[in-house]
Amino acid sequence: VEGLPLVESSVTGQHRLHGLLRQALAERIEPDGRVKAARLAAEVEAARGNLATVVALLAECDDTTGAVEAARRFVQLPVLRRTFEQLSSVRRIIDSIQPGAALAKLLEIECRWGHGATPLDYDELNQGFLRIAEAARAQGDDAIEAVALYRALEGFELHARTGPSEAFERLTELADTESFAVDALRHARARWSQELGDPDASVAHLHSAEVRYPDLEQTLRAGRLCDLGRPEDVAVGLGPDALATQPRGAEVLIAFAMWLRGEVSPEVAFEIGQPMTADTVARRMVNQSVSILGVTSVIALAAGRSDVARAQVREALDLAAWGSPDRIRLFALVADAALA
């Protein structure tokens, strides 16, 4: 469909019909045909990893079982792989199918946690994740319990605080039977080892078990290694041309590693980083937006584009004021200092 009117293009090189054109064409299809088309589209989107779209398509077919299963996979995705609009859409659908279920409550908290408000809200929401984990355990839902525990530990880490020992212990128990818990526990331990000032132990945790969830692995591993100051171990052998083939979210961190390794000039990094920045900010996830705006502001400054750098720093500071934790706000503050 590339080159046709009313076609949307993404930074990954994919093209699709604009929503207006899709709606106009759908209205010309008989109900049975729409159901068949939606099921076929759901299979295609599932293969592409677009799980929020799969949830919507299956719900349109009245396949509530399939929609719930897709939503369960959706909540396991790394934060960088999702947008606020996707979270809101999946939440509305699941709330209409399973109101009050642990999955519906998890999606509600995810929406509030991702969009952010104030640091106090994060503390409250982290406790909310723990309450959802308890509810999921009472319902015998190990998969959702593992996700809720991991999100709680992520939230505590943003404020440089260790999560409750009970959360680590329970996640360890779940790792015996729940695949997601294996990778989640490994990354939670790697993150906390870094907090304790033991980078070698952090790296060891990254290699401590067989990878069960590649999407989670590619994104979280790249981010952790960059945080540890080991960008040379990220996506070894890949060049800038391969970024478009990487999972959404992971490509941002891999590109950051390439910049830290000095593999691209500031000018090239600027050209690569600008569409990624726009795409990330468009997802409306506050902390991720502040982080990438801060990083690419410094890149823009190095490339001689101080005008872009200043505009991005202002946007990063404005977003951080919504309640980003100190360690996220530092991205904006460092970039602002670079401009001084």
Side-chain angles (χ1 to χ4, degrees), residues 256-271:
F256 183 41
M258 291 177 180
W259 164 253
L260 293 176
R261 293 197 296 253
E263 292 180 359
V264 292
S265 68
E267 292 75 18
V268 171
F270 177 79
E271 294 300 324

Side-chain angles (χ1 to χ4, degrees), residues 1 17 19 31 57 69 74 88 114-115 128 136 145 150 152 155-156 182 235 244 257 265 291 304 311:
V1 295
L17 294 177
L57 288 167
E69 181 56 37
F74 174 76
S88 298
H115 210 222
E145 182 186 1
Y150 181 64
F156 283 110
V182 175
S265 68
S291 300

